[in-house]
Amino acid sequence: MKAIRRFTVRPALPERLSALEHLVGNLRWAWHEPTQDLFSDIAPDAWRDFQHDPISLFGQISQERIDELAADDAFVDRANALRDDLTRYLNEPRWYQQLEGEKPESIAYFSPEFGIAAALPQYSGGLGILAGDHLKSASDLGVPLVAVGLFYRSGYFSQALSPDGWQQETYPVLDPDGLPLRVLRQPDGSPVIVTLCLPDDQVLSARIWQGRVGRVTLLLLDSDIPENTDELCHVTDRLYGGAEEHRLQQELLLGIGGVRAIGAWAERTGVRPPRVFHTNEGHAGFLGVERIGDLIRDGLSFTEALQVVRAGTVFTTHTPVPAGIDRFESALVRRYFETDLLPAVPVDDVLSLGREAGSPPDGAFNMAVMGLRLGQRANGVSQLHGEVSRRMFSDLWPGFDTEDVPIGSVTNGVHPASWTAPQLTALAARTLGTTDTANADWASPAVSDAELWSVRNDMRAELVADARRRLERAWLQQNPGGVAPEWLHSLLDPRVLTIGFARRVPTYKRLTLMLHDTDRLRGILLHPDRPVQIVIAGKSHPADIEGKRLIQKIVEFAKDPRVRERIVFLPNYDIAMAQKLYPGTDVWLNNPLRPLEACGTSGMKAALNGVLNLSILDGWWNEFFDGDNGWAIPSAATADAEERDRLEAESMYDLIEHQIAPRFYARDSDGLPTDWLRSIRHTLSTLSPRLSADRMVREYTESLYLPAYSSTTVLRGDGYKPARRLAEWKARVTAAWPDVAIAHVESGGLDLTPQVGDELHLRATVRLGSLSPDDVSVQVVYGLSGANGDDLRDVQSAELEAEIPDPDADSGDGGDWLFSGTVSLGRPGGFGYSVRVVPKNALLASPAELGLIAVA
């Protein structure tokens, strides 16, 4: 008989082991190696088998073992010392507390997924892993985040392969009572419930699970509760599953329900509710609409409330292609907002937030567009992705050059303590006196080449052993009752140059580019003197048939007895696998279609371990490749997709055959690859600090969170009067803008042959209609002029100052105004300039914010 519910009964912990409850209850153990070592010592084999999950570990050890540990004074002392260390970590001032000036007491961070630990499988890929690393570094730095997501009862999915290599998905049901979570409760002990009104008089209810990620609180909303119908219980059943309406329900619960959950949490804990909200991708965008509704109930109009919400919202886009953005039918969105969901917010105003530029009123509702309209500050996740995003969304700011579109960039980072192998950390501690591997002096002679190479060999051997275990387990699952063949025990070789490739498997990431010429690949793998082995992993979205075909092609090739010991596909890619895979490779391969990789943090995690990257110049690699930290695969300049793939695959093969493999296998008299080790040291020394999520979170804090807090605080002052004035000013300027024009521009001050150091004098006559010079910024925009066309490069701008109105002009309502200024010619070459007029207000974060511009 099958159980209708399963749960874990843990052994009773005696008082002497009470410290273990504290350590297990805070997810800091996911990146704190001394705590992991303590758990491992309880039952080493079980710790490995349960993928470093202490809660599952405690569910399997016997009461006798617990009593044995309680009698071990040395173990008890270690546990108590680690509990005291955790207490200090949670309470001591850190980087954020040292910042001067006004700063928020709490910052809300919303994401549809969080990848924190294998024990909490609430992620599908890079977006969730990035969110988890964001929380961990925020905790380490003392940044007071409160994070909000959904609790998916079946997570994403577990991946297996059929005998013919086809991906198969299963959805194991998670028991939240067996996870490091607890329910947020009322003073009387009952669960806090948030509710959302839905069509057909339905009410969606959700309880709130709390997790502690170091110093950061994580709130996860769960709809699988008795208050809901069977259908509504399934709203949070799985990540990225279901049809359009199911996804909309998830995103309404995440955004609107998430804000309500924060309110309930703040009330229960006595924390001041956050005024700064960070939306990690568009899925949580409805959080802004909920906050607008709250402000309307406080007496503001929709437009006035919008100013306050925009000022305190940061929006991060992770998507480099329009097809990757959630879009809903506007009729469906209207149906949900015509209920009592947010009765104070006009439905047409909600729909206008997500309407794409040039789209009719019944056009698609775009979640990224709403995110940009609700967030005064927006960014992509690498410099190149910022450029791509400015082009992709430029229609929202018509008339502005792409570089003026108000979307910046904060390049992603990864959390070193989570992704650096323990062997490398131990080496740094032993030779350099630090466990901070991201900032250690890896160029120091204190670390010998022999020691560094020994550690790299150990990490590769650990990957090989882990891969063999996983593949044997997968074979036994496919062949129940069978005996694993002997060749499974000789897969891969811990002495061979190892290339890694692991990520989600959409078609643009080109998993099978390596198969373009299978004969040539086979020759690379089986080279008699310089063999290569490739370890591959990745999941395709369950609905992505083409992605599944790519996996199948890899698996089919890897079945060939000639190469099966040199190329393997590891099923069910997850955090636990990744923590062995990234450090255990020598080269990390990434070959997406440029520029479709927003960032690509897997290569960052590999680099933290001294792995060299082999990648298309896309995402983060485009800004960090320096010629000594790996290799760049040239992008083919052709529109023919087949020809492009051929050229880029051949370039990849050439690099492996003629540069990478020879360099790896070139050894000195001591058997050391000195040139390779020089690149490892260079990678660790120069990349690690810049790839750290600490750098990323500092950048978010200083360039986005703090300015957002300052802006929204100003607008909230004096009973929201500044917000009302700003809304009125925007309406007045927008109405008057059709009358704004540059009537005439004249210049002087230059000889017939201008020279560096000369000054260009400019005078512009600008028609402002009913506006005043205080409402606008008149700017000269100048830069290098190319031989092909009038577009300027390396553009700079300078503001022209207002003079008195032109007495001879037909002044109309406001008259023509003269604006003048000078530009110094600072470098030789072609020079060009133009003049533009944009709105000006101290409360704008960008001159392009209103999407209004007049040009000469």
Side-chain angles (χ1 to χ4, degrees), residues 320 384 501 503-504 506-514 588-603 613-622 633-636 644-645 648-649 652:
L384 180 59
F501 184 105
R503 51 189 45 86
R504 289 186 306 110
T507 53
Y508 78 85
K509 291 183 183 282
R510 296 193 297 182
L511 168 64
T512 56
L513 186 68
M514 66 181 75
W588 195 257
L589 175 62
N590 189 29
N591 45 236
L593 285 173
R594 190 180 194 269
L596 303 186
E597 183 80 281
C599 185
T601 55
S602 61
N613 274 265
L614 168 63
S615 177
I616 294 285
L617 285 172
D618 201 4
W620 75 277
W621 193 235
N622 185 66
I633 303 172
S635 296
R644 176 203 59 219
D645 286 353
E648 294 182 5
M652 178 179 64

Side-chain angles (χ1 to χ4, degrees), residues 641-653:
E642 189 172 322
E643 177 68 2
R644 176 203 59 219
D645 286 353
R646 182 187 70 80
L647 291 171
E648 294 182 5
E650 288 182 353
S651 294
M652 178 179 64
Y653 297 144

Side-chain angles (χ1 to χ4, degrees), residues 230-550:
D230 287 347
E231 181 181 359
L232 293 181
C233 280
H234 287 94
V235 168
T236 57
D237 57 353
R238 60 184 63 169
L239 178 58
Y240 303 142
E244 180 182 17
E245 187 166 7
H246 183 265
R247 293 200 322 275
L248 177 61
Q249 290 171 343
Q250 286 189 337
E251 296 186 12
L252 290 168
L253 180 59
L254 175 59
I256 296 174
V259 174
R260 295 175 184 179
I262 284 182
W265 166 80
E267 182 179 346
R268 291 290 298 114
T269 59
V271 175
R272 181 179 297 179
R275 292 183 174 182
V276 175
F277 286 72
H278 184 174
T279 308
N280 188 41
E281 196 45 272
H283 305 80
F286 289 115
L287 68 86
V289 184
E290 165 72 4
R291 291 159 59 212
I292 287 173
D294 287 342
L295 292 167
I296 290 175
R297 286 188 287 273
D298 285 345
L300 274 65
S301 69
F302 176 87
T303 306
E304 292 164 349
L306 177 61
Q307 312 313 314
V308 179
V309 169
R310 272 181 52 78
T313 301
V314 174
F315 173 64
T316 298
T317 174
H318 291 259
T319 307
V321 289
I325 296 169
D326 267 348
R327 301 164 82 241
F328 299 106
E329 292 184 7
S330 59
L332 179 64
V333 178
R334 177 180 290 278
R335 179 168 172 260
Y336 273 78
F337 279 92
E338 283 180 340
T339 66
D340 288 332
L341 177 63
L342 286 174
V345 183
V347 178
D348 287 338
D349 287 334
V350 174
L351 293 174
S352 69
L353 292 172
R355 186 172 300 132
E356 297 168 345
S359 175
D362 60 350
F365 187 93
N366 186 307
M367 295 297 289
V369 167
M370 178 172 68
L372 290 166
R373 290 198 171 118
L374 286 172
Q376 191 177 42
R377 292 163 179 85
N379 68 282
V381 292
S382 68
Q383 290 179 5
L384 180 59
H385 180 236
E387 296 172 14
V388 170
S389 298
R390 287 189 286 275
R391 289 196 299 270
M392 188 164 70
F393 295 109
S394 61
D395 288 350
L396 296 178
W397 293 273
F400 284 89
D401 292 340
T402 300
E403 56 267 25
D404 293 322
V405 169
I407 301 175
S409 65
V410 176
T411 301
N412 284 342
V414 295
H415 187 246
S418 295
W419 300 110
T420 303
Q423 297 95 321
L424 195 65
T425 304
L427 176 65
R430 186 172 67 251
T431 60
L432 300 174
T434 179
T435 57
D436 182 5
T437 56
N439 296 292
D441 181 11
W442 290 105
S444 169
V447 184
S448 70
D449 279 357
E451 289 174 303
L452 184 56
W453 187 236
S454 176
V455 165
R456 289 290 314 144
N457 288 333
D458 288 346
M459 293 190 289
R460 192 185 315 107
E462 189 170 52
L463 167 61
V464 169
D466 187 64
R468 290 174 180 174
R469 281 192 299 268
R470 290 176 181 277
L471 289 168
E472 181 176 0
R473 187 165 61 242
W475 190 94
L476 292 172
Q477 289 172 350
Q478 284 185 359
N479 302 273
V483 177
E486 189 60 31
W487 58 263
L488 281 172
H489 303 142
S490 59
L491 292 175
L492 306 177
D493 185 330
R495 300 164 299 176
V496 167
L497 169 62
T498 304
I499 297 176
F501 184 105
R503 51 189 45 86
R504 289 186 306 110
V505 190
T507 53
Y508 78 85
K509 291 183 183 282
R510 296 193 297 182
L511 168 64
T512 56
L513 186 68
M514 66 181 75
L515 300 182
H516 188 81
D517 184 338
T518 54
D519 288 338
R520 191 169 179 188
L521 175 61
R522 194 175 293 111
I524 291 172
L525 297 174
L526 302 176
H527 193 283
D529 301 316
R530 298 190 296 271
V532 174
Q533 59 194 12
I534 305 178
V535 183
I536 304 165
K539 293 180 177 180
S540 175
H541 187 281
D544 185 357
I545 301 302
E546 287 304 312
K548 292 182 180 181
R549 286 199 181 103
L550 299 181

Side-chain angles (χ1 to χ4, degrees), residues 551-628:
I551 292 174
Q552 187 178 43
K553 288 178 181 177
I554 287 288
V555 173
E556 288 174 346
F557 178 80
K559 281 183 177 179
D560 183 344
R562 292 173 293 176
V563 298
R564 67 188 178 192
E565 294 185 4
R566 287 286 179 265
I567 181 169
V568 297
F569 182 91
L570 304 182
N572 206 32
Y573 179 44
D574 63 4
I575 287 176
M577 180 194 295
Q579 287 174 329
K580 304 293 185 186
L581 180 53
Y582 298 141
T585 57
D586 299 292
V587 173
W588 195 257
L589 175 62
N590 189 29
N591 45 236
L593 285 173
R594 190 180 194 269
L596 303 186
E597 183 80 281
C599 185
T601 55
S602 61
M604 292 180 164
K605 302 180 188 88
L608 289 181
N609 292 279
V611 177
L612 309 184
N613 274 265
L614 168 63
S615 177
I616 294 285
L617 285 172
D618 201 4
W620 75 277
W621 193 235
N622 185 66
E623 63 193 86
F624 286 106
F625 170 65
D626 66 7
D628 292 321

